[in-house]
């Protein structure tokens, strides 16, 4: 009997991890979220507040998953302030996952955009191919905003890999933008795929660079998403619905979308310049 992923499952927050001064990860037990494919998302119900689409963070414990939240808006701040023992609702996982590429790949993540890329990195490691080489770029503004470096090292320890941390103010790692470091990796390596997730302007530049080097690319996009199952159409980007056609899409498709890197729609559907 097929499990109904559309039915809300009540989960208990069992651990809260401070990743940075503004980012936390909530750990909970849920077999479906734990088995999410790289790039898929869950709809998370915060009782009395809202329901949010969230990428699913990996966990070291079998059957467990995580939600990584940056304290920002009304609902995300409420989720950020969740404490151990709190009850949340989850649906899913939903969406189209990343296609897994063989060979040398580059993963570029900015801020909490690293969440689906860590799940992707773990999947790449599981393939145990001697040809696999993973370069992971962790982008942040400052040293205190760098997240997941330790987890990334643990995930990639058994595969040929290189982790590059970039900070915009030069307080840690490579001084510059994640796109600056990515340009060097693309120039020097024969890559089979570039994956990106993070701020949309960053992703646009990454995809454009990959195209200029004739490297296929994929990105995970973000838009306002109310239902997650293709009914509300709030997540439309051009002719696509990110909840069903995405959130992962190939670079050649994404770069053909006029709104990518330029504008989005608010909760009322009105076009808004968000960057």
């Amino acid at each position: 009997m097929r499990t109904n992923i559309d039915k809300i499952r009540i989960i208990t927050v069992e651990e809260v991890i401070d990743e940075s001064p503004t980012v936390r990860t909530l750990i909970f037990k849920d077999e479906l979220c734990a088995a999410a494919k790289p790039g898929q998302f869950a709809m998370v119900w915060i009782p009395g507040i809202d329901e949010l689409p969230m990428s699913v963070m990996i966990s070291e414990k079998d059957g467990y998953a995580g939600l990584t939240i940056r304290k920002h808006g009304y609902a995300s701040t409420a989720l950020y302030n969740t404490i151990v023992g709190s009850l949340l609702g989850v649906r899913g996982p939903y969406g189209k996952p990343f296609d897994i590429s063989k060979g040398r790949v580059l993963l570029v993540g900015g801020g909490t955009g690293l969440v689906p890329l860590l799940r992707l990195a773990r999947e790449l490691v599981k393939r145990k191919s001697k040809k696999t080489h993973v370069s992971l770029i962790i982008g942040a503004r400052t040293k205190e905003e760098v997240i997941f470096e330790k987890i990334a090292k643990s995930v990639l320890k058994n595969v040929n890999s290189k982790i590059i941390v970039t900070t915009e103010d030069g307080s840690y790692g490579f001084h510059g933008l994640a796109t600056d470091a990515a340009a060097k990796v693309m120039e020097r390596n024969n890559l089979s795929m570039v994956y990106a997730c993070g701020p949309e302007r960053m992703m646009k530049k990454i995809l454009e660079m990959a195209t200029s080097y004739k490297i296929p690319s994929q990105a995970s996009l973000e838009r306002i998403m109310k239902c997650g199952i293709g009914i509300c159409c709030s997540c439309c980007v051009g002719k696509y619905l990110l909840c069903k056609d995405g959130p992962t899409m190939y670079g050649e498709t994404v770069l053909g979308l006029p709104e990518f890197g330029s504008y989005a729609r608010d909760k009322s559907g009105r076009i808004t310049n968000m960057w």
Side-chain angles (χ1 to χ4, degrees), residues 21-42:
T22 57
V23 176
R24 283 178 178 165
T25 297
L26 314 179
I27 301 296
F28 61 94
K29 187 174 185 179
D30 182 77
E31 296 286 347
L32 290 175
C33 285
K37 296 179 180 178
Q40 288 190 305
F41 66 93

Side-chain angles (χ1 to χ4, degrees), residues 239-269:
K239 65 179 180 180
Y240 302 104
L241 296 178
L242 286 191
C243 66
K244 298 181 72 70
D245 302 312
T248 72
M249 303 179 83
Y250 273 88
E252 59 187 15
T253 300
V254 176
L255 290 175
L257 300 171
E259 57 261 66
F260 179 66
S262 298
Y263 62 87
R265 296 177 186 277
D266 62 18
K267 290 188 176 182
S268 69

Side-chain angles (χ1 to χ4, degrees), residues 25-232:
T25 297
L26 314 179
I27 301 296
F28 61 94
K29 187 174 185 179
D30 182 77
E31 296 286 347
L32 290 175
C33 285
K37 296 179 180 178
Q40 288 190 305
F41 66 93
M43 294 299 294
V44 181
W45 173 51
I46 314 159
I49 303 294
D50 203 350
E51 190 179 35
L52 296 175
M54 299 288 298
S55 294
V56 185
M57 181 60 183
I58 58 174
S59 172
E60 294 181 344
K61 297 190 291 186
D62 290 342
Y64 281 75
L67 302 169
T68 298
I69 314 105
R70 180 178 296 282
K71 187 178 181 181
H72 180 61
Y74 175 67
S76 64
T77 298
L79 192 57
Y80 175 90
N81 290 330
T82 298
I83 61 175
V84 171
S86 297
L87 300 180
L88 299 170
V90 294
R91 295 188 284 127
Y94 295 117
K96 179 178 168 293
F98 286 117
D99 287 336
I100 307 297
S101 178
K102 298 178 181 178
R104 301 181 72 91
V105 299
L106 170 63
L107 283 56
V108 187
T112 54
L114 285 157
V115 170
L117 298 184
L118 286 175
R119 187 168 288 271
L120 172 62
R122 191 172 70 173
E123 187 63 29
L124 289 165
V125 172
K126 285 182 181 177
R127 302 297 170 102
K128 296 181 179 178
S129 170
K130 294 182 179 179
K131 296 181 179 179
T132 297
H133 185 287
V134 180
S135 295
L136 171 63
I137 295 175
I138 297 175
R141 292 181 178 175
T142 67
K143 180 179 180 180
E144 69 176 6
E145 293 181 277
V146 174
I147 60 175
F148 299 146
E149 183 182 11
K150 185 177 179 180
I151 295 174
K153 289 180 178 177
S154 176
V155 169
L156 295 172
K157 64 182 179 182
N158 293 324
V159 69
N160 295 320
S161 61
K162 184 175 184 179
I163 298 172
I164 304 168
V165 179
T166 72
T167 52
E168 295 179 23
D169 67 352
S171 53
Y172 184 64
F174 177 88
H175 184 185
L177 300 172
T179 51
D180 299 329
K184 295 181 182 296
V185 176
M186 288 190 212
E187 182 182 355
R188 297 171 183 172
N189 295 274
N190 184 23
L191 299 173
S192 58
M193 185 67 71
V194 173
Y195 298 92
C197 186
E200 199 153 304
R201 281 181 174 172
M202 180 205 81
M203 289 197 293
K204 184 174 184 180
K205 192 165 185 178
I206 293 294
L207 300 184
E208 289 174 340
M209 284 194 296
T211 299
S212 70
Y213 284 107
K214 302 187 185 307
I215 307 168
S217 61
Q218 298 177 56
S220 179
L221 276 60
E222 181 180 356
R223 286 292 186 275
I224 288 175
M225 197 176 289
K226 297 178 182 176
C227 72
I229 54 175
I231 296 175
C232 71

